[in-house]
Amino acid sequence: MPSSRRSIRLSCVFCALLAGALALILSGDWLSVVRAQDVAVEEAPPQTSTKLPAGHPGYSFRREHDLNGIGKFYLGREIAHVMGFAGVDWLERDNREQEERLTLLVESLKLKPGMAVADIGAGSGVLTLMMASEVGQTGTVFAVDIQQEMLDRLSDKLNNLNVKNVKLVLGTAMSPELEPDTLDLAIMVDVYHEFEFPWEMLRKLSSAIKPGGRVAFVEYRKEDPRVPIKLVHKMTEKQVRREAERPEFGLTWKETIGVLPRQHIVVFERNVKQPQ
């Protein structure tokens, strides 16, 4: 085929493609394609199955978000990145008592000998050991974490201190792996806002609480701009209650304790009659 004819044919193909693209732009259909892709990203389900459990409010995803968050949102709140094992020194920093008053926190929980309590997101076990002393040898503290490295570090502490009333539990992103109706109290100190699946975790956790037992959220106060913590690592009392008081959890707000310098302790009680 002569080169001139080949050039003419290629030019016609190019013109046809250009004309089609121009028609698509003028019709506005290309905007529909782009917008459909954006919506798919924002509304993608968090699980492999598109069928969510009854009562599940769903999650949303955003391309533009706080760099300290994971881009996943729950009831309007962005979920924060999990602090990994590399941050264990921050958990054990010398001035933590001064900044967070953990002694006062434990006193506020009104623990008694013989209680079964859970430290959810126990980390290296600073609070776990304090509570173990309060519940005594007749009580039990379940130290739950999703990072085996944290539990290994805590295990070494327990062996060195000869502490026998702590049980280590490797949880998952969706469950604390605790038996139903076994706990008098579960406490989450600066960890709930990092749960990748807060609805699933709280549903499992609430079922592990005995009727009349308590769940305590300890979170940095987002209401107070003076608290020197990144925004996605803070929560307002209103947001905590919005997430915890969903009917499927069977939790009722009991009190908010405001004795700590930077955090609030928001306490809920499990209803005697659980929702079906």
Side-chain angles (χ1 to χ4, degrees):
M1 177 184 297
S3 59
S4 59
R5 294 179 62 186
R6 183 182 299 110
S7 298
I8 293 172
R9 180 168 295 181
L10 290 175
S11 297
C12 292
V13 171
F14 175 76
C15 290
L17 290 174
L18 183 61
L22 181 61
L24 182 62
I25 291 173
L26 292 175
S27 69
D29 289 344
W30 69 281
L31 287 174
S32 300
V33 174
V34 172
R35 287 169 181 162
Q37 290 173 344
D38 289 341
V39 170
V41 171
E42 292 176 353
E43 298 181 356
Q47 302 163 325
T48 55
S49 172
T50 57
K51 185 177 181 181
L52 296 173
H56 198 304
Y59 298 109
S60 62
F61 298 80
R62 303 177 192 172
R63 286 193 178 98
E64 295 185 6
H65 61 88
D66 192 312
L67 293 179
N68 299 293
I70 64 174
K72 181 178 180 179
F73 290 75
Y74 175 64
L75 295 177
R77 172 184 63 87
E78 183 171 7
I79 297 168
H81 284 289
V82 174
M83 190 191 73
F85 182 70
V88 69
D89 289 341
W90 188 79
L91 296 175
E92 299 178 351
R93 64 194 186 279
D94 294 335
N95 61 343
R96 187 175 180 186
E97 173 62 28
Q98 178 184 354
E99 292 179 351
E100 298 187 13
R101 298 293 305 277
L102 293 180
T103 301
L104 185 56
L105 167 60
V106 173
E107 289 177 2
S108 301
L109 298 175
K110 300 177 182 178
L111 301 177
K112 298 178 182 178
M115 278 187 167
V117 303
D119 185 3
I120 308 297
S124 62
V126 175
L127 188 69
T128 296
L129 292 170
M130 297 174 71
M131 295 196 298
S133 177
E134 294 295 313
V135 301
Q137 293 305 310
T138 59
T140 304
V141 178
F142 296 89
V144 181
D145 207 283
I146 63 172
Q147 301 179 74
Q148 185 62 52
E149 296 93 338
M150 291 290 194
L151 297 179
D152 290 342
R153 189 180 183 99
L154 177 52
S155 178
D156 291 339
K157 290 183 182 180
L158 297 175
N159 291 330
N160 292 335
L161 297 171
N162 197 33
V163 175
K164 303 294 185 182
N165 62 339
V166 173
K167 294 185 178 181
L168 304 179
V169 181
L170 182 63
T172 71
M174 290 191 176
S175 173
E177 299 297 326
L178 296 168
E179 295 295 323
D181 302 325
T182 55
L183 301 175
D184 297 295
L185 169 73
I187 184 169
M188 296 168 283
V189 179
D190 306 329
V191 295
Y192 173 78
H193 64 272
E194 298 179 353
F195 287 169
E196 184 181 359
F197 296 94
W199 188 90
E200 290 82 355
M201 280 290 290
L202 199 51
R203 181 115 190 228
K204 288 287 187 179
L205 181 58
S206 61
S207 70
I209 305 296
K210 299 175 184 177
R214 297 172 294 158
V215 178
F217 295 73
V218 182
E219 292 285 346
Y220 285 103
R221 298 190 301 271
K222 194 171 184 178
E223 299 92 335
D224 188 352
R226 297 169 299 176
V227 175
I229 297 293
K230 295 173 181 177
L231 281 178
V232 293
H233 289 278
K234 297 181 180 182
M235 286 189 71
T236 64
E237 177 188 3
K238 181 179 180 180
Q239 185 68 27
V240 173
R241 292 190 60 173
R242 182 185 183 192
E243 298 185 22
E245 290 185 298
R246 294 187 60 82
E248 58 267 26
F249 301 146
L251 299 175
T252 301
W253 176 82
K254 183 176 182 181
E255 60 180 333
T256 297
I257 305 171
V259 298
L260 303 182
R262 297 177 176 179
Q263 300 138 300
H264 35 210
I265 310 168
V266 190
V267 183
F268 300 83
E269 187 173 272
R270 179 183 166 184
N271 301 331
V272 174
K273 184 178 180 180
Q274 280 290 90
Q276 299 298 317

